Amino acid sequence: MSSKIQDEKAREQLIDLAAEFYDQFAGGKIPEMKLPTRTKSNIVFDEDSNVWVYGDRTSTRSANSVRGARKLLKAVYTIDFLAKQLDEGRSSTLRELYYLSESWDNEEAQFSDQDESNQLVEDLEIVSEVTREDFHMRPEESGATLMGPLELREQTRRGEREIHCQKDVGEGGYQIPNNPDTIDFLDHDIDFVLCVETGGMRDRLVENGFDEEYNVLVVHLKGQPARATRRITKRLHDELDLPVVVFTDGDPWSYRIFGSVAYGSIKSAHLSEYLATPEAQYVGIRPQDIVDYDLPTDPLADSDINALESELTDPRFQSDFWTEQIELQLDIGKKAEQQALASRGLDFVTDTYLPERLTDMGVL
Amino acid sequence: MSSKIQDEKAREQLIDLAAEFYDQFAGGKIPEMKLPTRTKSNIVFDEDSNVWVYGDRTSTRSANSVRGARKLLKAVYTIDFLAKQLDEGRSSTLRELYYLSESWDNEEAQFSDQDESNQLVEDLEIVSEVTREDFHMRPEESGATLMGPLELREQTRRGEREIHCQKDVGEGGYQIPNNPDTIDFLDHDIDFVLCVETGGMRDRLVENGFDEEYNVLVVHLKGQPARATRRITKRLHDELDLPVVVFTDGDPWSYRIFGSVAYGSIKSAHLSEYLATPEAQYVGIRPQDIVDYDLPTDPLADSDINALESELTDPRFQSDFWTEQIELQLDIGKKAEQQALASRGLDFVTDTYLPERLTDMGVL
């Protein structure tokens, strides 16, 4: 969709929200806004789509109390700001919105802290079914990069840029913009998408030419991935019909990184369809790798053990594979980093580990 | 310097180190290595060059104890690895070096933890006077980006890339490589370099076209800047004779970010001449701005107050400007973020704050 049409659609959906309040007033009703209840108990793992979604319970924000009325007032001021921002083709960060509210003429509409404005923007995302990116709200940090045989066109506010993510970039790669929906995929030679947790491993793969040899698009996750990184991964899978595999450290926190790429997170359950790639597969480091390759390890800390135990009951990890791996890890009491593969030489990961594993998985 | 010649020089300086041990053996002496003592008490602020440097005290690593002999053995194995790496035109991360040592034939030479290998590489940097980047040791994360009227050539292992940091990049900008000494500056229209702490403010400046309107190269610091970011900032200043200004949040931690750009840090005192830009100037947020512009603030936490008090005795902040500002901040008990300027509208920072301040400072 062209970005102008998308902006107009987002703007209309916001105005519709405000119009609803107006109609309620006009009809003699106390204005209110209905939202799915956003507590952990109302978030369910949808077995069909394999992602987190909200359950059936709803909460109502009503103007029938001073507190509730103030919340709706803030919503209206925010809608007004966002609609104007879209109209002018501008954007802003969540933090700027919070500070900007200090300049609003009605003091009652100003936010008392940033949690409040963040929360409201999430509420508006849910009710309007428009994502924050389509409101032109930027995150504070974007961050991740792409490297591989992909030619894309990015719509920047300075015009279009056509960039090949190997030939037109330095060793740092192509920097994913805050809103990756400004990107069109033009052409590619990609066989699969490899999401990598750490910068050290990303650089190893690029130095060893893994992206060139196997026609891989290397996506740097940079730890827990930003929304922009998860979004472009999903688009690569859906639009180019590419397999996605995820390569992280071998510890419970890294399994959660995989989980957020594949199944979404509780915090952004309303965005699972926009951000999650349920078909993504986990490459490693697997606890079995620690045993098979005799990798250098660190002992599990108490917090690691607790996290692993909680993953055993996490619906995202209810498969024979994960149960077996997590129980093995609790049994051996060890964890290993991606870069521990270097104990078998700097080329082991690209000459042996990944080709063997990806062949087993049917990706190669 | 071409990278081949630079690699050869680094390699020679490493081999010279090992040769020294050999000569000591051959001359019937117990091998040893002399280093400046790397404790806080032996680091002094050099008033002439305005950066941190080591004092006169030295420590000796001698093979006259098992512990000392083991340290020198590890140094020799590491030199061997680094020399081979340079010979083959390859590179690796500090973490890979640590893991790789597990594959060394002599168990006594293997590192017991990563602190030990990190420390040894720093020692070798100091003794050989070659930087880690010239050993081809990569950091785990690089990170920051450039946006502005600069055309550069990056020597990648896939050949040269010529990139204009406005016309050939997306909104995310040009990703600085791990070793920015692979970059040649080809052409530019830059009037000054503006280093910005937060991603939100970096995006604001780019969205508002500040880099285009004022011929600014915007360097995103991303919090405490990586070595690569500080290095390229210094090179821009030294080689292109450009003023460098630093724009951060208004709190003691951000003043330290400015300090590390301008004066170097205690931890990397041996690199001050390579990384620090003593001519860099501080734009803001200044405590005086909090008062003058009535910015939204947070109260100082106890840790903020302690940090400010320690800065009052920090040689890097011994100027009337800093003393006045820090004392004012302790007095008002408040701190403010860069993005708090948005309380005066999203364009205030680019239409009013920066132009006025930079005119005052003589940069515009």
Side-chain angles (χ1 to χ4, degrees), chain A residues 90-91 93 95-96 99 138 140 154 157-158 171 175 204 207-208 211 337 339 347, chain B residues 90-91 93 95-96 99 138 140 154 157-158 171 175 203-204 207-208 211 337 339 347:
Chain A
R90 306 200 59 181
S91 56
T93 65
R95 197 162 292 168
E96 284 176 323
Y99 285 124
R138 288 190 302 252
E140 295 305 321
E154 183 186 328
R157 51 186 63 241
R158 295 161 189 202
E171 293 207 332
Q175 175 81 29
R204 165 62 45 221
E207 170 169 333
N208 289 10
D211 54 317
E337 296 183 331
Q339 293 189 73
D347 298 331
Chain B
R90 305 200 59 182
S91 56
T93 66
R95 198 162 292 169
E96 284 177 322
Y99 285 123
R138 290 190 299 252
E140 296 304 320
E154 182 186 328
R157 50 187 62 242
R158 298 163 186 199
E171 292 207 333
Q175 174 81 27
D203 291 341
R204 167 62 43 220
E207 171 168 333
N208 290 9
D211 54 317
E337 296 182 332
Q339 293 189 73
D347 298 331

Side-chain angles (χ1 to χ4, degrees), chain A residues 248-266:
Chain A
T248 68
D249 288 339
D251 64 50
W253 317 102
S254 296
Y255 309 152
R256 288 183 189 182
I257 288 174
F258 165 69
S260 85
V261 172
Y263 309 118
S265 62
I266 291 182

